[in-house]
Protein backbone atom coordinates (compact mmCIF):
# COMPACT_ATOMS: atom_id res chain seq x y z
CA UNK A 1 0.00 0.00 0.00
CA UNK A 2 2.89 2.33 0.77
CA UNK A 3 4.44 1.82 -2.66
CA UNK A 4 1.16 2.62 -4.41
CA UNK A 5 0.80 5.73 -2.23
CA UNK A 6 4.30 6.83 -3.18
CA UNK A 7 3.53 6.35 -6.87
CA UNK A 8 0.25 8.24 -6.79
CA UNK A 9 1.68 11.05 -4.64
CA UNK A 10 4.74 11.39 -6.85
CA UNK A 11 2.60 11.61 -10.00
CA UNK A 12 0.31 14.24 -8.45
CA UNK A 13 3.09 16.41 -7.00
CA UNK A 14 5.35 16.13 -10.04
CA UNK A 15 2.40 17.14 -12.22
CA UNK A 16 1.70 20.16 -10.00
CA UNK A 17 5.36 21.20 -10.12
CA UNK A 18 5.34 20.84 -13.88
CA UNK A 19 2.45 23.24 -14.46
CA UNK A 20 3.02 25.72 -11.62
CA UNK A 21 4.26 29.19 -12.52
CA UNK A 22 5.61 29.43 -8.96
CA UNK A 23 7.81 26.37 -9.40
CA UNK A 24 9.00 27.71 -12.77
CA UNK A 25 10.66 30.77 -11.23
CA UNK A 26 11.24 30.04 -7.52
CA UNK A 27 13.50 27.60 -5.70
CA UNK A 28 11.13 24.94 -4.34
CA UNK A 29 12.00 22.44 -1.64
CA UNK A 30 9.55 19.74 -0.51
CA UNK A 31 9.71 16.73 1.76
CA UNK A 32 6.81 14.50 2.84
CA UNK A 33 7.30 11.73 5.40
CA UNK A 34 4.83 9.09 6.55
CA UNK A 35 5.18 9.02 10.33
CA UNK A 36 2.76 6.11 10.71
CA UNK A 37 4.64 3.84 8.31
CA UNK A 38 8.08 5.40 8.96
CA UNK A 39 8.65 5.93 5.25
CA UNK A 40 9.63 8.82 2.98
CA UNK A 41 6.83 9.52 0.50
CA UNK A 42 8.18 12.41 -1.56
CA UNK A 43 11.26 14.60 -1.98
CA UNK A 44 12.01 17.54 -4.24
CA UNK A 45 15.18 19.48 -3.45
CA UNK A 46 14.67 18.25 0.12
CA UNK A 47 18.30 18.82 1.07
CA UNK A 48 18.66 22.26 -0.49
CA UNK A 49 19.79 24.90 2.00
CA UNK A 50 17.05 27.55 2.11
CA UNK A 51 15.80 30.46 4.16
CA UNK A 52 12.90 29.23 6.32
CA UNK A 53 11.27 32.49 7.51
CA UNK A 54 8.95 31.74 10.44
CA UNK A 55 9.08 27.95 10.17
CA UNK A 56 12.32 28.56 12.11
CA UNK A 57 9.93 28.87 15.07
CA UNK A 58 9.36 25.09 14.85
CA UNK A 59 13.02 24.51 15.64
CA UNK A 60 12.86 26.99 18.52
CA UNK A 61 9.58 25.64 19.91
CA UNK A 62 10.53 21.96 19.69
CA UNK A 63 13.88 22.64 21.38
CA UNK A 64 12.15 24.63 24.12
CA UNK A 65 9.66 21.83 24.84
CA UNK A 66 12.47 19.28 24.82
CA UNK A 67 14.79 21.21 27.15
CA UNK A 68 12.56 23.43 29.28
CA UNK A 69 9.42 21.30 29.37
CA UNK A 70 5.74 22.18 29.42
CA UNK A 71 5.83 23.13 33.12
CA UNK A 72 8.50 25.78 32.67
CA UNK A 73 7.48 29.22 33.92
CA UNK A 74 8.46 32.74 32.88
CA UNK A 75 8.79 34.47 36.27
CA UNK A 76 8.90 38.22 36.91
CA UNK A 77 9.79 38.78 40.55
CA UNK A 78 9.80 41.54 43.12
CA UNK A 79 12.50 41.55 45.80
CA UNK A 80 13.66 44.13 48.29
CA UNK A 81 16.59 45.15 50.45
CA UNK A 82 16.23 46.69 53.89
CA UNK A 83 13.21 46.04 56.08
CA UNK A 84 9.45 46.39 56.11
CA UNK A 85 8.08 48.52 58.95
CA UNK A 86 4.36 48.32 59.57
CA UNK A 87 2.10 50.17 61.98
CA UNK A 88 -1.19 48.85 63.34
CA UNK A 89 -3.90 51.32 64.29
CA UNK A 90 -7.22 50.94 66.06
CA UNK A 91 -10.27 50.92 63.80
CA UNK A 92 -13.28 52.22 65.80
CA UNK A 93 -15.83 50.84 63.34
CA UNK A 94 -14.62 47.26 63.80
CA UNK A 95 -13.20 47.59 67.33
CA UNK A 96 -10.09 45.70 66.17
CA UNK A 97 -6.50 46.48 65.35
CA UNK A 98 -6.14 46.75 61.57
CA UNK A 99 -3.04 47.19 59.45
CA UNK A 100 -3.20 50.69 58.00
CA UNK A 101 0.29 51.87 57.14
CA UNK A 102 3.63 50.38 56.30
CA UNK A 103 6.95 51.39 54.76
CA UNK A 104 9.50 49.42 52.84
CA UNK A 105 12.69 50.98 54.20
CA UNK A 106 15.01 50.06 51.36
CA UNK A 107 15.03 49.46 47.61
CA UNK A 108 12.38 47.58 45.62
CA UNK A 109 13.58 45.48 42.66
CA UNK A 110 11.55 44.26 39.73
CA UNK A 111 13.56 41.43 38.16
CA UNK A 112 12.71 41.04 34.48
CA UNK A 113 12.69 37.68 32.74
CA UNK A 114 11.97 38.84 29.20
CA UNK A 115 8.30 37.88 29.55
CA UNK A 116 6.42 39.06 26.43
CA UNK A 117 3.04 38.16 27.93
CA UNK A 118 3.46 40.54 30.86
CA UNK A 119 0.74 43.19 30.65
CA UNK A 120 -0.77 46.06 32.64
CA UNK A 121 -3.05 43.69 34.53
CA UNK A 122 -0.01 41.73 35.75
CA UNK A 123 1.75 44.91 36.88
CA UNK A 124 -1.38 46.09 38.68
CA UNK A 125 -1.56 42.73 40.43
CA UNK A 126 2.06 43.02 41.59
CA UNK A 127 1.47 46.57 42.85
CA UNK A 128 -1.75 45.58 44.59
CA UNK A 129 -0.02 42.71 46.37
CA UNK A 130 2.43 45.21 47.84
CA UNK A 131 -0.47 47.41 48.91
CA UNK A 132 -2.23 44.42 50.49
CA UNK A 133 0.86 43.87 52.62
CA UNK A 134 0.17 47.27 54.12
CA UNK A 135 3.02 48.99 52.30
CA UNK A 136 2.18 52.46 51.06
CA UNK A 137 5.68 53.96 50.99
CA UNK A 138 9.02 52.82 49.59
CA UNK A 139 11.75 54.96 51.10
CA UNK A 140 14.45 53.79 48.73
CA UNK A 141 14.69 53.38 44.98
CA UNK A 142 12.65 51.48 42.42
CA UNK A 143 15.21 49.32 40.60
CA UNK A 144 14.91 47.38 37.36
CA UNK A 145 17.12 44.29 37.11
CA UNK A 146 17.94 43.45 33.48
CA UNK A 147 20.62 40.84 34.21
CA UNK A 148 18.60 38.01 32.63
CA UNK A 149 20.01 38.74 29.16
CA UNK A 150 22.70 40.70 27.36
CA UNK A 151 22.23 44.17 25.86
CA UNK A 152 21.39 43.13 22.28
CA UNK A 153 18.26 45.00 21.22
CA UNK A 154 17.75 43.16 17.94
CA UNK A 155 18.55 39.79 16.44
CA UNK A 156 21.41 39.07 14.07
CA UNK A 157 20.42 39.66 10.46
CA UNK A 158 17.16 41.53 11.19
CA UNK A 159 16.28 44.13 8.57
CA UNK A 160 16.62 47.66 9.94
CA UNK A 161 13.43 48.88 8.22
CA UNK A 162 11.14 46.18 9.65
CA UNK A 163 8.87 46.83 12.62
CA UNK A 164 10.97 44.66 14.90
CA UNK A 165 10.29 44.08 18.61
CA UNK A 166 12.97 45.22 21.06
CA UNK A 167 14.75 42.47 22.95
CA UNK A 168 15.01 43.25 26.65
CA UNK A 169 14.89 41.55 30.04
CA UNK A 170 12.64 44.45 31.01
CA UNK A 171 10.27 43.67 28.15
CA UNK A 172 6.84 45.26 28.12
CA UNK A 173 4.55 45.68 25.11
CA UNK A 174 7.34 45.04 22.57
CA UNK A 175 9.53 47.71 24.17
CA UNK A 176 12.18 48.09 26.86
CA UNK A 177 9.59 49.71 29.13
CA UNK A 178 8.86 47.45 32.11
CA UNK A 179 10.41 49.67 34.77
CA UNK A 180 8.54 52.79 33.70
CA UNK A 181 5.22 50.97 33.47
CA UNK A 182 5.65 49.33 36.85
CA UNK A 183 6.29 52.76 38.35
CA UNK A 184 2.90 53.80 36.93
CA UNK A 185 1.26 50.72 38.46
CA UNK A 186 2.68 51.60 41.88
CA UNK A 187 1.30 55.13 41.62
CA UNK A 188 -2.06 53.72 40.57
CA UNK A 189 -2.03 51.54 43.72
CA UNK A 190 -1.24 54.69 45.76
CA UNK A 191 2.23 53.52 46.69
CA UNK A 192 4.79 56.33 46.98
CA UNK A 193 8.41 55.77 45.96
CA UNK A 194 10.67 58.36 47.55
CA UNK A 195 13.87 57.37 45.75
CA UNK A 196 14.84 57.45 42.08
CA UNK A 197 13.94 54.94 39.38
CA UNK A 198 17.16 53.22 38.33
CA UNK A 199 18.50 50.11 36.62
CA UNK A 200 20.49 47.94 38.99
CA UNK A 201 21.21 44.24 39.48
CA UNK A 202 19.41 42.82 42.49
CA UNK A 203 21.88 41.74 45.19
CA UNK A 204 21.91 38.12 46.32
CA UNK A 205 21.01 39.23 49.85
CA UNK A 206 17.67 40.71 48.72
CA UNK A 207 14.46 39.13 50.00
CA UNK A 208 11.74 37.81 47.69
CA UNK A 209 8.44 39.66 47.93
CA UNK A 210 6.12 38.33 45.23
CA UNK A 211 6.06 37.30 41.57
CA UNK A 212 3.89 36.72 38.51
CA UNK A 213 4.32 33.82 36.09
CA UNK A 214 3.31 32.65 32.63
CA UNK A 215 3.68 29.08 31.41
CA UNK A 216 5.63 27.87 28.40
CA UNK A 217 2.44 26.58 26.65
CA UNK A 218 0.99 30.12 26.93
CA UNK A 219 4.09 31.49 25.22
CA UNK A 220 4.21 28.69 22.65
CA UNK A 221 0.63 29.28 21.54
CA UNK A 222 1.44 32.85 20.52
CA UNK A 223 4.67 31.73 18.86
CA UNK A 224 2.87 29.22 16.65
CA UNK A 225 -0.73 30.39 16.18
CA UNK A 226 0.10 34.07 15.70
CA UNK A 227 3.74 33.72 14.58
CA UNK A 228 4.70 36.31 17.20
CA UNK A 229 8.37 37.15 16.75
CA UNK A 230 8.93 38.70 20.20
CA UNK A 231 7.54 35.59 21.89
CA UNK A 232 9.77 33.32 19.79
CA UNK A 233 12.92 35.26 20.63
CA UNK A 234 12.20 34.94 24.35
CA UNK A 235 12.09 31.15 23.98
CA UNK A 236 15.59 31.24 22.51
CA UNK A 237 16.89 33.39 25.37
CA UNK A 238 15.22 31.24 28.02
CA UNK A 239 16.99 28.26 26.48
CA UNK A 240 20.26 30.16 26.76
CA UNK A 241 19.58 31.08 30.37
CA UNK A 242 19.59 27.42 31.39
CA UNK A 243 23.39 27.46 31.05
CA UNK A 244 24.24 30.83 32.57
CA UNK A 245 23.13 34.44 32.78
CA UNK A 246 23.13 36.83 31.15
CA UNK A 247 21.56 34.80 28.39
CA UNK A 248 22.47 35.40 24.77
CA UNK A 249 21.10 34.24 21.43
CA UNK A 250 24.30 32.24 20.89
CA UNK A 251 23.76 30.31 24.13
CA UNK A 252 20.24 29.42 23.04
CA UNK A 253 21.42 28.44 19.57
CA UNK A 254 24.08 26.18 21.12
CA UNK A 255 21.28 24.18 22.77
CA UNK A 256 19.43 24.00 19.44
CA UNK A 257 22.60 22.73 17.78
CA UNK A 258 23.01 20.05 20.45
CA UNK A 259 19.47 18.80 19.84
CA UNK A 260 20.01 18.86 16.07
CA UNK A 261 22.99 16.55 16.47
CA UNK A 262 20.92 14.15 18.57
CA UNK A 263 18.08 14.24 16.02
CA UNK A 264 20.36 13.35 13.11
CA UNK A 265 22.31 10.73 15.04
CA UNK A 266 19.11 8.80 15.82
CA UNK A 267 16.90 9.56 12.78
CA UNK A 268 15.86 6.61 10.60
CA UNK A 269 17.74 6.15 7.34
CA UNK A 270 14.49 6.57 5.42
CA UNK A 271 14.32 10.15 6.75
CA UNK A 272 17.84 11.55 6.53
CA UNK A 273 20.51 10.94 3.95
CA UNK A 274 23.27 10.88 6.55
CA UNK A 275 23.59 10.92 10.34
CA UNK A 276 25.97 13.86 9.92
CA UNK A 277 24.32 17.25 10.40
CA UNK A 278 23.88 18.90 6.97
CA UNK A 279 24.86 22.51 6.16
CA UNK A 280 22.63 24.99 7.98
CA UNK A 281 22.69 28.19 10.03
CA UNK A 282 20.59 29.25 13.02
CA UNK A 283 20.71 33.00 13.70
CA UNK A 284 17.61 33.76 15.78
CA UNK A 285 14.52 32.19 17.29
CA UNK A 286 11.80 33.73 15.15
CA UNK A 287 12.96 33.42 11.55
CA UNK A 288 13.17 37.19 11.08
CA UNK A 289 16.87 36.92 10.33
CA UNK A 290 18.06 36.67 6.75
CA UNK A 291 20.95 34.56 8.06
CA UNK A 292 18.87 31.47 8.92
CA UNK A 293 19.36 28.53 6.58
CA UNK A 294 17.76 25.09 6.88
CA UNK A 295 16.41 22.44 4.52
CA UNK A 296 13.01 20.74 4.16
CA UNK A 297 14.65 17.51 5.30
CA UNK A 298 15.88 19.21 8.49
CA UNK A 299 12.45 20.63 9.30
CA UNK A 300 10.83 17.22 8.79
CA UNK A 301 13.51 15.65 10.98
CA UNK A 302 12.51 18.02 13.79
CA UNK A 303 8.82 17.23 13.20
CA UNK A 304 9.62 13.52 13.31
CA UNK A 305 11.53 13.95 16.58
CA UNK A 306 8.62 15.86 18.11
CA UNK A 307 6.10 13.25 16.96
CA UNK A 308 8.06 10.42 18.56
CA UNK A 309 8.41 12.14 21.96
CA UNK A 310 5.36 12.42 24.21
CA UNK A 311 6.72 15.37 26.18
CA UNK A 312 6.78 17.42 22.96
CA UNK A 313 4.17 16.38 20.41
CA UNK A 314 0.83 17.00 22.21
CA UNK A 315 1.87 20.52 23.20
CA UNK A 316 3.35 21.38 19.81
CA UNK A 317 0.38 19.98 17.90
CA UNK A 318 -2.10 21.90 20.02
CA UNK A 319 -0.19 25.16 19.47
CA UNK A 320 0.07 24.90 15.66
CA UNK A 321 -2.34 26.83 13.41
CA UNK A 322 -5.19 24.72 12.02
CA UNK A 323 -6.12 25.08 8.36
CA UNK A 324 -9.37 26.96 7.85
CA UNK A 325 -9.80 27.47 11.58
CA UNK A 326 -7.31 29.64 13.46
CA UNK A 327 -3.99 31.42 13.61
CA UNK A 328 -2.13 32.20 10.42
CA UNK A 329 -3.99 29.39 8.60
CA UNK A 330 -7.49 30.63 9.50
CA UNK A 331 -8.36 31.65 5.94
CA UNK A 332 -6.49 28.96 4.06
CA UNK A 333 -7.64 25.59 2.60
CA UNK A 334 -11.29 26.25 3.41
CA UNK A 335 -13.84 23.89 1.85
CA UNK A 336 -11.18 21.29 1.05
CA UNK A 337 -10.17 18.00 2.64
CA UNK A 338 -7.22 19.85 4.19
CA UNK A 339 -9.52 22.09 6.26
CA UNK A 340 -9.22 21.23 9.99
CA UNK A 341 -6.76 18.52 8.95
CA UNK A 342 -3.49 20.41 8.39
CA UNK A 343 -1.75 21.63 11.55
CA UNK A 344 1.26 23.63 10.39
CA UNK A 345 3.52 26.62 10.90
CA UNK A 346 3.61 29.29 8.24
CA UNK A 347 6.55 31.49 7.27
CA UNK A 348 6.70 34.75 5.35
CA UNK A 349 9.56 37.09 4.42
CA UNK A 350 10.12 39.01 1.24
CA UNK A 351 10.87 36.28 -1.29
CA UNK A 352 10.30 33.47 1.24
CA UNK A 353 7.07 31.52 1.77
CA UNK A 354 7.23 28.37 3.89
CA UNK A 355 4.86 25.87 5.46
CA UNK A 356 5.73 22.89 7.67
CA UNK A 357 3.70 20.64 9.93
CA UNK A 358 1.39 17.65 10.03
CA UNK A 359 -1.67 16.26 8.26
CA UNK A 360 -3.55 12.97 7.93
CA UNK A 361 -4.20 10.96 4.79
CA UNK A 362 -7.53 9.40 3.89
CA UNK A 363 -6.05 6.15 5.23
CA UNK A 364 -5.48 7.88 8.60
CA UNK A 365 -1.71 7.96 8.28
CA UNK A 366 -0.02 10.94 9.92
CA UNK A 367 2.37 12.80 7.61
CA UNK A 368 5.06 15.37 8.38
CA UNK A 369 5.85 17.80 5.59
CA UNK A 370 7.91 20.86 4.76
CA UNK A 371 7.37 23.13 1.75
CA UNK A 372 9.85 26.01 1.38
CA UNK A 373 9.81 28.52 -1.46
CA UNK A 374 12.71 30.92 -1.92
CA UNK A 375 12.84 33.65 -4.55
CA UNK A 376 9.06 33.86 -4.85
CA UNK A 377 7.71 37.40 -4.96
CA UNK A 378 4.03 36.57 -5.44
CA UNK A 379 2.95 35.54 -1.95
CA UNK A 380 -0.64 34.72 -2.90
CA UNK A 381 0.39 32.35 -5.68
CA UNK A 382 2.98 30.75 -3.40
CA UNK A 383 0.42 30.06 -0.67
CA UNK A 384 -2.07 28.69 -3.19
CA UNK A 385 0.66 26.38 -4.47
CA UNK A 386 1.33 25.13 -0.93
CA UNK A 387 -2.38 24.69 -0.27
CA UNK A 388 -2.75 22.53 -3.38
CA UNK A 389 0.08 20.31 -2.13
CA UNK A 390 -1.66 19.96 1.25
CA UNK A 391 -4.93 18.98 -0.42
CA UNK A 392 -3.11 16.29 -2.41
CA UNK A 393 -1.56 14.97 0.80
CA UNK A 394 -4.92 14.81 2.57
CA UNK A 395 -6.86 13.18 -0.29
Amino acid sequence: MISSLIVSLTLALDSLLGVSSVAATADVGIMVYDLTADSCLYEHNARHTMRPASTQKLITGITALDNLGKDYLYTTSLSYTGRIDTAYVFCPEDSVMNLRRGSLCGDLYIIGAMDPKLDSEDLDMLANRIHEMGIDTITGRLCGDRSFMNDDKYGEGWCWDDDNPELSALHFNRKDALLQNFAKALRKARIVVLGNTVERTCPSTALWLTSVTHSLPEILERVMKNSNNAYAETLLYHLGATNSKPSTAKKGIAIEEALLKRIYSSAPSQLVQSTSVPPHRFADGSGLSLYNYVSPEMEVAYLHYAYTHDHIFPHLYEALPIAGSDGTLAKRMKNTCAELNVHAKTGTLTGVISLAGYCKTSEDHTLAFSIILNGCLDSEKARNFQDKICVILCE
Side-chain angles (χ1 to χ4, degrees), residues 111-124:
I111 305 166
M114 206 182 184
D115 186 349
K117 203 171 188 303
L118 204 66
D119 58 18
S120 296
E121 186 176 333
D122 292 320
L123 298 189
D124 288 343

Side-chain angles (χ1 to χ4, degrees), residues 33-39 300 303-304 307-308 313 358 366-368:
Y33 193 84
D34 189 328
L35 295 165
T36 304
D38 221 6
S39 174
V300 171
L303 292 168
H304 174 273
Y307 181 77
T308 54
F313 183 70
Y358 305 97
T366 301
L367 309 183

Side-chain angles (χ1 to χ4, degrees), residues 18 41 46 60 77 148 186 191 213 215 218 223 232 252 287 311 342 372 375 384:
L41 298 182
T60 308
S77 299
F148 178 84
L186 289 173
I191 297 171
T213 63
S215 68
E218 289 179 274
V223 171
H311 67 289
V342 170
I372 304 178
N384 288 338

Side-chain angles (χ1 to χ4, degrees), residues 146-301:
R146 60 167 65 253
S147 60
F148 178 84
M149 64 164 288
N150 64 356
D151 294 330
D152 290 346
K153 291 291 186 185
Y154 302 103
E156 181 188 13
W158 288 10
C159 290
W160 66 268
D161 55 349
D162 280 346
D163 181 23
N164 297 317
E166 287 186 18
L167 304 178
S168 171
L170 301 178
H171 186 104
F172 186 82
N173 196 25
R174 290 173 50 92
K175 301 293 182 182
D176 183 18
L178 175 57
L179 187 55
Q180 298 87 337
N181 281 275
F182 185 54
K184 292 178 184 178
L186 289 173
R187 290 193 294 270
K188 183 179 176 181
R190 292 177 294 179
I191 297 171
V192 177
V193 180
L194 300 181
N196 296 328
T197 299
V198 299
E199 293 180 1
R200 189 167 184 263
T201 300
C202 185
S204 60
T205 54
L207 300 173
W208 177 85
L209 198 60
T210 187
S211 61
V212 63
T213 63
H214 293 115
S215 68
L216 190 144
E218 289 179 274
I219 304 298
L220 190 66
E221 181 180 16
R222 292 287 294 274
V223 171
M224 298 300 174
K225 296 281 190 193
N226 305 103
S227 201
N228 189 294
N229 296 316
Y231 278 60
E233 293 304 324
T234 67
L235 283 178
L236 185 66
Y237 277 82
H238 275 261
L239 281 167
T242 59
N243 284 337
S244 63
K245 296 177 185 176
S247 181
T248 66
K250 288 184 178 179
K251 289 179 182 178
I253 289 168
I255 294 175
E256 290 184 329
E257 293 282 1
L259 175 58
L260 179 62
K261 288 180 181 178
R262 283 195 285 123
I263 287 174
Y264 265 79
S265 67
S266 61
S269 58
Q270 304 96 308
L271 174 58
V272 299
Q273 189 177 53
S274 168
T275 55
S276 299
V277 175
H280 68 285
R281 193 172 193 275
F282 300 158
D284 67 4
S286 63
L288 274 176
S289 177
L290 297 178
Y291 301 160
N292 290 308
Y293 283 96
V294 303
S295 65
E297 179 195 85
M298 185 177 292
E299 290 193 334
V300 171

Side-chain angles (χ1 to χ4, degrees), residues 301-352:
Y302 269 93
L303 292 168
H304 174 273
Y305 181 83
Y307 181 77
T308 54
H309 288 79
D310 291 340
H311 67 289
I312 300 176
F313 183 70
H315 314 293
L316 175 68
Y317 194 72
E318 183 179 0
L320 287 171
I322 303 170
S325 176
D326 64 16
T328 54
L329 286 179
K331 297 180 180 179
R332 293 176 60 175
M333 304 177 224
K334 282 187 171 293
N335 302 315
T336 72
C337 59
E339 184 177 7
L340 305 181
N341 184 335
V342 170
H343 292 60
K345 182 72 199 74
T346 58
T348 304
L349 284 174
T350 300
V352 181

